[in-house]
Amino acid sequence: GLALGLWRRQAALAAAREDEEEKELRQRFMAPPVSGLRELRRRRRELRSRMELLIMETQAEVCRALTALDPGASFAVDSWERKEGGGGISCVLQDGEVFEKAGVNVSVVSGLLSEEAARQMRSRGKSLKAKDGKLPFCAMGVSSVIHPKNPHVPTMHFNYRYFEIEEADGTKQWWFGGGTDLTPTYLNEEDAVHFHKTLKEACDKHDPKLYPKYKKWCDDYFYIKHRGERRGIGGIFFDDMDSPSKEEVFQFVKSCAKAVVPCYIPIVKKHCRDSFTPEEKLWQQLRRGRYVEFNLVYDRGTKFGLLTPGSRIESILMSLPLTARWEYMHTPLESSKEAEILEVLRNPKDWVH
């Protein structure tokens, strides 16, 4: 009887502890996780669960940091389900005083890879052996684009994701991808240095070779070929990262995700009250047009989303600004502030040495 009483008391304590933990997690996130808290806790040692918790935490951290700078505005939180498997949480702020549009999305999806998506992956050198033409996959990530109102505050984008595919013989291929990059309307060297240094510190904790490699990858990836210029002043970008080990890559991705707020928020704080002219606002609109061109023509994530059956178009196109402009044959004056940023977009700089 004594042992049973003790066991009951311990079970009640464990249940109370679990409830407490659940409450705390709920408060930490913007919405309940796609996989459910119980399921995540049950599989908490598995990397998939730890990655889902990381993307949920990153979403909440970034949303809170942005809301603190734009207190009159609030995020619309939209949880959605995908009938083929999984779902996501879209947090979007529109028409604030500081941010014209800011979106921070989480998605956790699973199902069968579409032929078109598999073809896209094979073109990157992945040998995917399908079973009866079917490739079960699981993908999750956090993705964000922030378009501020003030032309002196840069646009920022980040994305961190994990992908897993099960082949015909049951072996699993997995990889991580992601990055963080900055798109200013006007060049501020001090901001560029701060942004790149913060990302470099996050990379250097793991391997000093990573930052230069991923900085170059970022400059090459965000290239608007038909314009001969980069989308912005870069940052870091990587894909198909599957070594040295799952745990080491996960820890690296975690460091990068934790660097998002410190690399960007100080820049917003510094410039969100700067005065600007109608001409500067016009230039920002033209640069936004370039942003749209890259995202719709070249961005791999956008393409993958548009090719995935049952994907949520509103969340995929969240990266597009509320406003943008295209003018025929617009050329800035020589040696103007507008020409200065174009020079850097055509010839990327090393910001940290």
Side-chain angles (χ1 to χ4, degrees), residues 210-241:
L210 295 178
Y211 169 77
K213 180 181 171 184
Y214 295 155
K215 190 260 185 207
K216 183 183 183 317
W217 197 338
C218 188
D219 289 334
D220 294 344
Y221 178 75
F222 291 105
Y223 182 57
I224 309 171
K225 237 180 270 162
H226 60 269
R227 298 281 188 185
E229 61 191 47
R230 272 88 200 149
R231 186 176 80 175
I233 59 160
I236 55 171
F237 179 84
F238 56 92
D239 209 351
D240 302 324
M241 193 176 183

PDB file of all heavy atoms in Angstrom, residues 210-241:
ATOM      1  N   LEU A 210      33.909  28.362 -42.440  1.00  0.00           N
ATOM      2  CA  LEU A 210      32.506  28.410 -42.883  1.00  0.00           C
ATOM      3  C   LEU A 210      32.076  29.792 -43.379  1.00  0.00           C
ATOM      4  O   LEU A 210      31.432  29.906 -44.417  1.00  0.00           O
ATOM      5  CB  LEU A 210      31.572  27.947 -41.756  1.00  0.00           C
ATOM      6  CG  LEU A 210      31.730  26.479 -41.333  1.00  0.00           C
ATOM      7  CD1 LEU A 210      30.795  26.144 -40.171  1.00  0.00           C
ATOM      8  CD2 LEU A 210      31.459  25.530 -42.496  1.00  0.00           C
ATOM      9  N   TYR A 211      32.424  30.855 -42.618  1.00  0.00           N
ATOM     10  CA  TYR A 211      31.932  32.176 -43.005  1.00  0.00           C
ATOM     11  C   TYR A 211      32.372  32.582 -44.415  1.00  0.00           C
ATOM     12  O   TYR A 211      31.528  32.937 -45.244  1.00  0.00           O
ATOM     13  CB  TYR A 211      32.298  33.258 -41.972  1.00  0.00           C
ATOM     14  CG  TYR A 211      32.014  34.642 -42.512  1.00  0.00           C
ATOM     15  CD1 TYR A 211      30.713  35.137 -42.558  1.00  0.00           C
ATOM     16  CD2 TYR A 211      33.035  35.431 -43.045  1.00  0.00           C
ATOM     17  CE1 TYR A 211      30.430  36.391 -43.111  1.00  0.00           C
ATOM     18  CE2 TYR A 211      32.763  36.672 -43.597  1.00  0.00           C
ATOM     19  CZ  TYR A 211      31.465  37.148 -43.624  1.00  0.00           C
ATOM     20  OH  TYR A 211      31.202  38.374 -44.183  1.00  0.00           O
ATOM     21  N   PRO A 212      33.700  32.522 -44.742  1.00  0.00           N
ATOM     22  CA  PRO A 212      34.084  32.945 -46.100  1.00  0.00           C
ATOM     23  C   PRO A 212      33.411  32.109 -47.194  1.00  0.00           C
ATOM     24  O   PRO A 212      32.993  32.642 -48.221  1.00  0.00           O
ATOM     25  CB  PRO A 212      35.612  32.764 -46.147  1.00  0.00           C
ATOM     26  CG  PRO A 212      36.028  32.255 -44.825  1.00  0.00           C
ATOM     27  CD  PRO A 212      34.858  32.173 -43.916  1.00  0.00           C
ATOM     28  N   LYS A 213      33.240  30.827 -46.925  1.00  0.00           N
ATOM     29  CA  LYS A 213      32.627  29.934 -47.910  1.00  0.00           C
ATOM     30  C   LYS A 213      31.145  30.300 -48.118  1.00  0.00           C
ATOM     31  O   LYS A 213      30.664  30.426 -49.242  1.00  0.00           O
ATOM     32  CB  LYS A 213      32.757  28.488 -47.397  1.00  0.00           C
ATOM     33  CG  LYS A 213      32.168  27.436 -48.326  1.00  0.00           C
ATOM     34  CD  LYS A 213      32.332  26.050 -47.689  1.00  0.00           C
ATOM     35  CE  LYS A 213      31.582  24.984 -48.446  1.00  0.00           C
ATOM     36  NZ  LYS A 213      31.668  23.682 -47.764  1.00  0.00           N
ATOM     37  N   TYR A 214      30.432  30.498 -46.998  1.00  0.00           N
ATOM     38  CA  TYR A 214      28.987  30.764 -47.096  1.00  0.00           C
ATOM     39  C   TYR A 214      28.684  32.211 -47.467  1.00  0.00           C
ATOM     40  O   TYR A 214      27.616  32.516 -47.984  1.00  0.00           O
ATOM     41  CB  TYR A 214      28.288  30.356 -45.801  1.00  0.00           C
ATOM     42  CG  TYR A 214      28.362  28.856 -45.555  1.00  0.00           C
ATOM     43  CD1 TYR A 214      28.268  28.314 -44.277  1.00  0.00           C
ATOM     44  CD2 TYR A 214      28.533  27.974 -46.623  1.00  0.00           C
ATOM     45  CE1 TYR A 214      28.344  26.934 -44.065  1.00  0.00           C
ATOM     46  CE2 TYR A 214      28.618  26.600 -46.422  1.00  0.00           C
ATOM     47  CZ  TYR A 214      28.521  26.090 -45.143  1.00  0.00           C
ATOM     48  OH  TYR A 214      28.598  24.728 -44.958  1.00  0.00           O
ATOM     49  N   LYS A 215      29.624  33.095 -47.224  1.00  0.00           N
ATOM     50  CA  LYS A 215      29.458  34.494 -47.649  1.00  0.00           C
ATOM     51  C   LYS A 215      29.523  34.543 -49.178  1.00  0.00           C
ATOM     52  O   LYS A 215      28.698  35.184 -49.840  1.00  0.00           O
ATOM     53  CB  LYS A 215      30.569  35.348 -47.024  1.00  0.00           C
ATOM     54  CG  LYS A 215      30.361  36.850 -47.185  1.00  0.00           C
ATOM     55  CD  LYS A 215      31.168  37.452 -48.324  1.00  0.00           C
ATOM     56  CE  LYS A 215      31.014  38.954 -48.352  1.00  0.00           C
ATOM     57  NZ  LYS A 215      31.209  39.535 -49.676  1.00  0.00           N
ATOM     58  N   LYS A 216      30.489  33.816 -49.743  1.00  0.00           N
ATOM     59  CA  LYS A 216      30.622  33.796 -51.206  1.00  0.00           C
ATOM     60  C   LYS A 216      29.398  33.109 -51.832  1.00  0.00           C
ATOM     61  O   LYS A 216      28.854  33.572 -52.837  1.00  0.00           O
ATOM     62  CB  LYS A 216      31.905  33.053 -51.607  1.00  0.00           C
ATOM     63  CG  LYS A 216      32.102  33.080 -53.122  1.00  0.00           C
ATOM     64  CD  LYS A 216      33.297  32.304 -53.615  1.00  0.00           C
ATOM     65  CE  LYS A 216      33.491  32.423 -55.112  1.00  0.00           C
ATOM     66  NZ  LYS A 216      32.281  32.311 -55.941  1.00  0.00           N
ATOM     67  N   TRP A 217      28.953  32.028 -51.204  1.00  0.00           N
ATOM     68  CA  TRP A 217      27.779  31.307 -51.701  1.00  0.00           C
ATOM     69  C   TRP A 217      26.562  32.241 -51.728  1.00  0.00           C
ATOM     70  O   TRP A 217      25.764  32.233 -52.666  1.00  0.00           O
ATOM     71  CB  TRP A 217      27.521  30.090 -50.801  1.00  0.00           C
ATOM     72  CG  TRP A 217      26.630  29.028 -51.383  1.00  0.00           C
ATOM     73  CD1 TRP A 217      25.720  29.175 -52.392  1.00  0.00           C
ATOM     74  CD2 TRP A 217      26.551  27.646 -50.979  1.00  0.00           C
ATOM     75  NE1 TRP A 217      25.073  27.977 -52.635  1.00  0.00           N
ATOM     76  CE2 TRP A 217      25.570  27.027 -51.781  1.00  0.00           C
ATOM     77  CE3 TRP A 217      27.213  26.879 -50.012  1.00  0.00           C
ATOM     78  CZ2 TRP A 217      25.233  25.678 -51.651  1.00  0.00           C
ATOM     79  CZ3 TRP A 217      26.878  25.542 -49.880  1.00  0.00           C
ATOM     80  CH2 TRP A 217      25.906  24.946 -50.694  1.00  0.00           C
ATOM     81  N   CYS A 218      26.443  33.058 -50.693  1.00  0.00           N
ATOM     82  CA  CYS A 218      25.335  34.008 -50.595  1.00  0.00           C
ATOM     83  C   CYS A 218      25.413  35.037 -51.731  1.00  0.00           C
ATOM     84  O   CYS A 218      24.410  35.315 -52.406  1.00  0.00           O
ATOM     85  CB  CYS A 218      25.396  34.710 -49.239  1.00  0.00           C
ATOM     86  SG  CYS A 218      23.967  35.739 -48.898  1.00  0.00           S
ATOM     87  N   ASP A 219      26.602  35.594 -51.956  1.00  0.00           N
ATOM     88  CA  ASP A 219      26.778  36.570 -53.052  1.00  0.00           C
ATOM     89  C   ASP A 219      26.437  35.944 -54.410  1.00  0.00           C
ATOM     90  O   ASP A 219      25.854  36.589 -55.275  1.00  0.00           O
ATOM     91  CB  ASP A 219      28.224  37.102 -53.078  1.00  0.00           C
ATOM     92  CG  ASP A 219      28.532  38.028 -51.907  1.00  0.00           C
ATOM     93  OD1 ASP A 219      27.590  38.645 -51.381  1.00  0.00           O
ATOM     94  OD2 ASP A 219      29.713  38.129 -51.512  1.00  0.00           O
ATOM     95  N   ASP A 220      26.814  34.675 -54.574  1.00  0.00           N
ATOM     96  CA  ASP A 220      26.549  34.001 -55.850  1.00  0.00           C
ATOM     97  C   ASP A 220      25.076  33.615 -56.002  1.00  0.00           C
ATOM     98  O   ASP A 220      24.523  33.657 -57.096  1.00  0.00           O
ATOM     99  CB  ASP A 220      27.410  32.718 -55.990  1.00  0.00           C
ATOM    100  CG  ASP A 220      28.899  33.058 -56.097  1.00  0.00           C
ATOM    101  OD1 ASP A 220      29.220  34.228 -56.359  1.00  0.00           O
ATOM    102  OD2 ASP A 220      29.727  32.144 -55.887  1.00  0.00           O
ATOM    103  N   TYR A 221      24.457  33.233 -54.878  1.00  0.00           N
ATOM    104  CA  TYR A 221      23.070  32.760 -54.945  1.00  0.00           C
ATOM    105  C   TYR A 221      22.084  33.909 -55.215  1.00  0.00           C
ATOM    106  O   TYR A 221      21.219  33.813 -56.081  1.00  0.00           O
ATOM    107  CB  TYR A 221      22.682  32.037 -53.644  1.00  0.00           C
ATOM    108  CG  TYR A 221      21.232  31.580 -53.649  1.00  0.00           C
ATOM    109  CD1 TYR A 221      20.828  30.474 -54.390  1.00  0.00           C
ATOM    110  CD2 TYR A 221      20.251  32.267 -52.929  1.00  0.00           C
ATOM    111  CE1 TYR A 221      19.498  30.067 -54.432  1.00  0.00           C
ATOM    112  CE2 TYR A 221      18.916  31.870 -52.960  1.00  0.00           C
ATOM    113  CZ  TYR A 221      18.549  30.767 -53.705  1.00  0.00           C
ATOM    114  OH  TYR A 221      17.230  30.379 -53.747  1.00  0.00           O
ATOM    115  N   PHE A 222      22.222  34.999 -54.453  1.00  0.00           N
ATOM    116  CA  PHE A 222      21.274  36.113 -54.602  1.00  0.00           C
ATOM    117  C   PHE A 222      21.703  37.041 -55.742  1.00  0.00           C
ATOM    118  O   PHE A 222      21.861  38.252 -55.563  1.00  0.00           O
ATOM    119  CB  PHE A 222      21.133  36.889 -53.282  1.00  0.00           C
ATOM    120  CG  PHE A 222      20.440  36.076 -52.218  1.00  0.00           C
ATOM    121  CD1 PHE A 222      21.149  35.515 -51.169  1.00  0.00           C
ATOM    122  CD2 PHE A 222      19.074  35.850 -52.291  1.00  0.00           C
ATOM    123  CE1 PHE A 222      20.502  34.738 -50.210  1.00  0.00           C
ATOM    124  CE2 PHE A 222      18.419  35.082 -51.335  1.00  0.00           C
ATOM    125  CZ  PHE A 222      19.137  34.525 -50.295  1.00  0.00           C
ATOM    126  N   TYR A 223      21.902  36.450 -56.893  1.00  0.00           N
ATOM    127  CA  TYR A 223      22.383  37.186 -58.056  1.00  0.00           C
ATOM    128  C   TYR A 223      21.232  37.304 -59.058  1.00  0.00           C
ATOM    129  O   TYR A 223      20.662  36.293 -59.465  1.00  0.00           O
ATOM    130  CB  TYR A 223      23.564  36.431 -58.672  1.00  0.00           C
ATOM    131  CG  TYR A 223      24.194  37.123 -59.855  1.00  0.00           C
ATOM    132  CD1 TYR A 223      24.684  38.420 -59.733  1.00  0.00           C
ATOM    133  CD2 TYR A 223      24.293  36.479 -61.090  1.00  0.00           C
ATOM    134  CE1 TYR A 223      25.272  39.062 -60.830  1.00  0.00           C
ATOM    135  CE2 TYR A 223      24.879  37.110 -62.182  1.00  0.00           C
ATOM    136  CZ  TYR A 223      25.357  38.408 -62.037  1.00  0.00           C
ATOM    137  OH  TYR A 223      25.929  39.051 -63.110  1.00  0.00           O
ATOM    138  N   ILE A 224      20.885  38.532 -59.412  1.00  0.00           N
ATOM    139  CA  ILE A 224      19.832  38.738 -60.415  1.00  0.00           C
ATOM    140  C   ILE A 224      20.535  38.784 -61.761  1.00  0.00           C
ATOM    141  O   ILE A 224      21.017  39.828 -62.207  1.00  0.00           O
ATOM    142  CB  ILE A 224      19.059  40.053 -60.143  1.00  0.00           C
ATOM    143  CG1 ILE A 224      18.582  40.111 -58.686  1.00  0.00           C
ATOM    144  CG2 ILE A 224      17.868  40.184 -61.099  1.00  0.00           C
ATOM    145  CD1 ILE A 224      18.011  41.451 -58.262  1.00  0.00           C
ATOM    146  N   LYS A 225      20.612  37.613 -62.391  1.00  0.00           N
ATOM    147  CA  LYS A 225      21.397  37.460 -63.614  1.00  0.00           C
ATOM    148  C   LYS A 225      21.034  38.476 -64.690  1.00  0.00           C
ATOM    149  O   LYS A 225      21.900  39.083 -65.306  1.00  0.00           O
ATOM    150  CB  LYS A 225      21.190  36.040 -64.164  1.00  0.00           C
ATOM    151  CG  LYS A 225      22.501  35.286 -64.323  1.00  0.00           C
ATOM    152  CD  LYS A 225      22.273  33.884 -64.869  1.00  0.00           C
ATOM    153  CE  LYS A 225      22.074  32.935 -63.699  1.00  0.00           C
ATOM    154  NZ  LYS A 225      21.496  31.689 -63.903  1.00  0.00           N
ATOM    155  N   HIS A 226      19.732  38.651 -64.899  1.00  0.00           N
ATOM    156  CA  HIS A 226      19.325  39.536 -66.000  1.00  0.00           C
ATOM    157  C   HIS A 226      19.624  41.011 -65.715  1.00  0.00           C
ATOM    158  O   HIS A 226      19.544  41.847 -66.587  1.00  0.00           O
ATOM    159  CB  HIS A 226      17.838  39.331 -66.353  1.00  0.00           C
ATOM    160  CG  HIS A 226      16.894  39.618 -65.227  1.00  0.00           C
ATOM    161  ND1 HIS A 226      16.484  38.649 -64.345  1.00  0.00           N
ATOM    162  CD2 HIS A 226      16.270  40.759 -64.848  1.00  0.00           C
ATOM    163  CE1 HIS A 226      15.645  39.183 -63.470  1.00  0.00           C
ATOM    164  NE2 HIS A 226      15.494  40.458 -63.743  1.00  0.00           N
ATOM    165  N   ARG A 227      20.000  41.334 -64.461  1.00  0.00           N
ATOM    166  CA  ARG A 227      20.366  42.721 -64.107  1.00  0.00           C
ATOM    167  C   ARG A 227      21.867  42.882 -63.889  1.00  0.00           C
ATOM    168  O   ARG A 227      22.368  43.990 -63.783  1.00  0.00           O
ATOM    169  CB  ARG A 227      19.658  43.143 -62.817  1.00  0.00           C
ATOM    170  CG  ARG A 227      18.144  43.152 -62.890  1.00  0.00           C
ATOM    171  CD  ARG A 227      17.646  44.385 -63.575  1.00  0.00           C
ATOM    172  NE  ARG A 227      16.187  44.492 -63.477  1.00  0.00           N
ATOM    173  CZ  ARG A 227      15.492  45.436 -64.080  1.00  0.00           C
ATOM    174  NH1 ARG A 227      16.104  46.340 -64.821  1.00  0.00           N
ATOM    175  NH2 ARG A 227      14.180  45.487 -63.969  1.00  0.00           N
ATOM    176  N   GLY A 228      22.551  41.742 -63.687  1.00  0.00           N
ATOM    177  CA  GLY A 228      23.992  41.816 -63.409  1.00  0.00           C
ATOM    178  C   GLY A 228      24.302  42.389 -62.041  1.00  0.00           C
ATOM    179  O   GLY A 228      25.337  43.001 -61.819  1.00  0.00           O
ATOM    180  N   GLU A 229      23.373  42.193 -61.086  1.00  0.00           N
ATOM    181  CA  GLU A 229      23.613  42.715 -59.730  1.00  0.00           C
ATOM    182  C   GLU A 229      23.051  41.754 -58.679  1.00  0.00           C
ATOM    183  O   GLU A 229      22.174  40.947 -58.968  1.00  0.00           O
ATOM    184  CB  GLU A 229      22.978  44.108 -59.573  1.00  0.00           C
ATOM    185  CG  GLU A 229      21.479  44.118 -59.772  1.00  0.00           C
ATOM    186  CD  GLU A 229      20.848  45.498 -59.888  1.00  0.00           C
ATOM    187  OE1 GLU A 229      21.374  46.335 -60.639  1.00  0.00           O
ATOM    188  OE2 GLU A 229      19.791  45.709 -59.270  1.00  0.00           O
ATOM    189  N   ARG A 230      23.595  41.866 -57.456  1.00  0.00           N
ATOM    190  CA  ARG A 230      23.076  41.044 -56.357  1.00  0.00           C
ATOM    191  C   ARG A 230      21.806  41.677 -55.808  1.00  0.00           C
ATOM    192  O   ARG A 230      21.589  42.864 -55.973  1.00  0.00           O
ATOM    193  CB  ARG A 230      24.092  40.971 -55.196  1.00  0.00           C
ATOM    194  CG  ARG A 230      25.078  39.850 -55.341  1.00  0.00           C
ATOM    195  CD  ARG A 230      26.253  40.290 -56.136  1.00  0.00           C
ATOM    196  NE  ARG A 230      27.022  39.186 -56.702  1.00  0.00           N
ATOM    197  CZ  ARG A 230      27.668  39.292 -57.846  1.00  0.00           C
ATOM    198  NH1 ARG A 230      27.623  40.406 -58.542  1.00  0.00           N
ATOM    199  NH2 ARG A 230      28.378  38.288 -58.303  1.00  0.00           N
ATOM    200  N   ARG A 231      21.037  40.850 -55.102  1.00  0.00           N
ATOM    201  CA  ARG A 231      19.801  41.373 -54.513  1.00  0.00           C
ATOM    202  C   ARG A 231      20.118  42.342 -53.372  1.00  0.00           C
ATOM    203  O   ARG A 231      19.378  43.274 -53.106  1.00  0.00           O
ATOM    204  CB  ARG A 231      18.951  40.209 -53.989  1.00  0.00           C
ATOM    205  CG  ARG A 231      17.597  40.635 -53.492  1.00  0.00           C
ATOM    206  CD  ARG A 231      16.769  39.453 -53.074  1.00  0.00           C
ATOM    207  NE  ARG A 231      17.128  38.961 -51.737  1.00  0.00           N
ATOM    208  CZ  ARG A 231      16.474  37.993 -51.114  1.00  0.00           C
ATOM    209  NH1 ARG A 231      15.468  37.389 -51.716  1.00  0.00           N
ATOM    210  NH2 ARG A 231      16.827  37.596 -49.915  1.00  0.00           N
ATOM    211  N   GLY A 232      21.218  42.092 -52.651  1.00  0.00           N
ATOM    212  CA  GLY A 232      21.569  42.937 -51.512  1.00  0.00           C
ATOM    213  C   GLY A 232      23.058  42.836 -51.231  1.00  0.00           C
ATOM    214  O   GLY A 232      23.842  42.486 -52.106  1.00  0.00           O
ATOM    215  N   ILE A 233      23.432  43.117 -49.967  1.00  0.00           N
ATOM    216  CA  ILE A 233      24.873  43.075 -49.631  1.00  0.00           C
ATOM    217  C   ILE A 233      25.230  41.738 -48.968  1.00  0.00           C
ATOM    218  O   ILE A 233      26.254  41.608 -48.311  1.00  0.00           O
ATOM    219  CB  ILE A 233      25.301  44.255 -48.746  1.00  0.00           C
ATOM    220  CG1 ILE A 233      24.508  44.286 -47.435  1.00  0.00           C
ATOM    221  CG2 ILE A 233      25.162  45.570 -49.498  1.00  0.00           C
ATOM    222  CD1 ILE A 233      25.160  45.081 -46.333  1.00  0.00           C
ATOM    223  N   GLY A 234      24.336  40.752 -49.142  1.00  0.00           N
ATOM    224  CA  GLY A 234      24.690  39.395 -48.735  1.00  0.00           C
ATOM    225  C   GLY A 234      24.617  39.127 -47.252  1.00  0.00           C
ATOM    226  O   GLY A 234      23.948  39.804 -46.482  1.00  0.00           O
ATOM    227  N   GLY A 235      25.365  38.104 -46.857  1.00  0.00           N
ATOM    228  CA  GLY A 235      25.350  37.566 -45.511  1.00  0.00           C
ATOM    229  C   GLY A 235      25.918  36.178 -45.635  1.00  0.00           C
ATOM    230  O   GLY A 235      27.027  35.999 -46.147  1.00  0.00           O
ATOM    231  N   ILE A 236      25.136  35.171 -45.233  1.00  0.00           N
ATOM    232  CA  ILE A 236      25.573  33.784 -45.421  1.00  0.00           C
ATOM    233  C   ILE A 236      24.442  32.985 -46.074  1.00  0.00           C
ATOM    234  O   ILE A 236      23.277  33.313 -45.915  1.00  0.00           O
ATOM    235  CB  ILE A 236      25.996  33.095 -44.094  1.00  0.00           C
ATOM    236  CG1 ILE A 236      24.850  33.168 -43.049  1.00  0.00           C
ATOM    237  CG2 ILE A 236      27.282  33.678 -43.551  1.00  0.00           C
ATOM    238  CD1 ILE A 236      25.079  32.339 -41.790  1.00  0.00           C
ATOM    239  N   PHE A 237      24.823  31.957 -46.819  1.00  0.00           N
ATOM    240  CA  PHE A 237      23.845  31.063 -47.441  1.00  0.00           C
ATOM    241  C   PHE A 237      24.506  29.705 -47.640  1.00  0.00           C
ATOM    242  O   PHE A 237      25.661  29.626 -48.036  1.00  0.00           O
ATOM    243  CB  PHE A 237      23.395  31.619 -48.802  1.00  0.00           C
ATOM    244  CG  PHE A 237      22.410  30.727 -49.510  1.00  0.00           C
ATOM    245  CD1 PHE A 237      21.059  30.790 -49.216  1.00  0.00           C
ATOM    246  CD2 PHE A 237      22.844  29.802 -50.462  1.00  0.00           C
ATOM    247  CE1 PHE A 237      20.144  29.955 -49.858  1.00  0.00           C
ATOM    248  CE2 PHE A 237      21.938  28.958 -51.109  1.00  0.00           C
ATOM    249  CZ  PHE A 237      20.585  29.035 -50.807  1.00  0.00           C
ATOM    250  N   PHE A 238      23.764  28.627 -47.342  1.00  0.00           N
ATOM    251  CA  PHE A 238      24.293  27.280 -47.588  1.00  0.00           C
ATOM    252  C   PHE A 238      23.119  26.348 -47.862  1.00  0.00           C
ATOM    253  O   PHE A 238      21.977  26.640 -47.500  1.00  0.00           O
ATOM    254  CB  PHE A 238      25.097  26.767 -46.375  1.00  0.00           C
ATOM    255  CG  PHE A 238      24.324  26.757 -45.084  1.00  0.00           C
ATOM    256  CD1 PHE A 238      23.621  25.622 -44.689  1.00  0.00           C
ATOM    257  CD2 PHE A 238      24.282  27.883 -44.271  1.00  0.00           C
ATOM    258  CE1 PHE A 238      22.893  25.612 -43.505  1.00  0.00           C
ATOM    259  CE2 PHE A 238      23.552  27.885 -43.081  1.00  0.00           C
ATOM    260  CZ  PHE A 238      22.858  26.746 -42.702  1.00  0.00           C
ATOM    261  N   ASP A 239      23.411  25.237 -48.510  1.00  0.00           N
ATOM    262  CA  ASP A 239      22.375  24.246 -48.766  1.00  0.00           C
ATOM    263  C   ASP A 239      22.997  22.860 -48.801  1.00  0.00           C
ATOM    264  O   ASP A 239      24.217  22.724 -48.894  1.00  0.00           O
ATOM    265  CB  ASP A 239      21.677  24.549 -50.103  1.00  0.00           C
ATOM    266  CG  ASP A 239      20.229  24.049 -50.088  1.00  0.00           C
ATOM    267  OD1 ASP A 239      19.855  23.340 -49.127  1.00  0.00           O
ATOM    268  OD2 ASP A 239      19.473  24.359 -51.021  1.00  0.00           O
ATOM    269  N   ASP A 240      22.163  21.849 -48.729  1.00  0.00           N
ATOM    270  CA  ASP A 240      22.623  20.447 -48.813  1.00  0.00           C
ATOM    271  C   ASP A 240      23.730  20.138 -47.808  1.00  0.00           C
ATOM    272  O   ASP A 240      24.648  19.384 -48.107  1.00  0.00           O
ATOM    273  CB  ASP A 240      23.131  20.135 -50.237  1.00  0.00           C
ATOM    274  CG  ASP A 240      22.053  20.393 -51.290  1.00  0.00           C
ATOM    275  OD1 ASP A 240      20.875  20.134 -50.992  1.00  0.00           O
ATOM    276  OD2 ASP A 240      22.378  20.862 -52.390  1.00  0.00           O
ATOM    277  N   MET A 241      23.658  20.728 -46.623  1.00  0.00           N
ATOM    278  CA  MET A 241      24.727  20.526 -45.642  1.00  0.00           C
ATOM    279  C   MET A 241      24.425  19.268 -44.823  1.00  0.00           C
ATOM    280  O   MET A 241      23.448  19.214 -44.072  1.00  0.00           O
ATOM    281  CB  MET A 241      24.810  21.751 -44.726  1.00  0.00           C
ATOM    282  CG  MET A 241      26.061  21.794 -43.884  1.00  0.00           C
ATOM    283  SD  MET A 241      26.107  23.310 -42.928  1.00  0.00           S
ATOM    284  CE  MET A 241      27.677  23.160 -42.108  1.00  0.00           C
TER     285      MET A 241
END
